[in-house]
Amino acid sequence: MSRGLKARLTAPLRQRANFSEVLAEPWLSVPALALAQRAVYLERDGRVNLGDLFEITGNPDGEIQFEGDLNLADRLGGGLTAGRVLVDGHVGHEAGLGMSGGILIIQGKAG
């Protein structure tokens, strides 16, 4: 994937994390800095910003690629309605839960 946004995990996740709000509408044209402010909910530590966990680069183009060990990243792509999401690796539980559109590609195991 050569266009769109890229989100690279900067350190391993040490607890389960709920990503259900990260790709809530609207996200297709949200710049990297604004996407970095989206909420992720850690199992023990509560709310953090996506940018606290990931380096986010690129330009919004309806696509995003996630890189890193996301085994503890639950509900990634949850509620997705449009766009293309590529996960380069494994993801946690309930990836794509409630999707009604868009494309979620997981190049690894889910759950």
Side-chain angles (χ1 to χ4, degrees), residues 17-90:
N18 181 339
F19 280 72
S20 62
E21 294 183 17
V22 170
L23 298 176
E25 287 299 324
W27 76 271
L28 298 174
S29 60
V30 173
L33 288 176
L35 193 66
Q37 299 302 311
R38 295 279 176 108
V40 174
Y41 295 92
L42 301 177
E43 185 174 47
R44 291 184 305 274
D45 297 336
R47 186 192 193 283
V48 297
N49 291 334
L50 183 67
D52 295 334
L53 305 172
F54 289 83
E55 175 186 6
I56 304 171
T57 58
N59 296 305
D61 191 17
E63 298 187 14
I64 187 167
Q65 177 179 357
F66 287 90
E67 297 179 345
D69 181 2
L70 301 177
N71 279 322
L72 298 177
D74 298 334
R75 298 181 188 95
L76 185 63
L80 191 67
T81 61
R84 183 172 187 260
V85 179
L86 173 65
V87 180
D88 186 13
H90 307 309

Side-chain angles (χ1 to χ4, degrees), residues 2-26:
S2 60
R3 57 187 187 147
L5 296 167
K6 184 175 283 192
R8 185 184 57 80
L9 190 63
T10 57
L13 293 174
R14 304 224 183 270
Q15 56 191 295
R16 298 215 77 82
N18 181 339
F19 280 72
S20 62
E21 294 183 17
V22 170
L23 298 176
E25 287 299 324

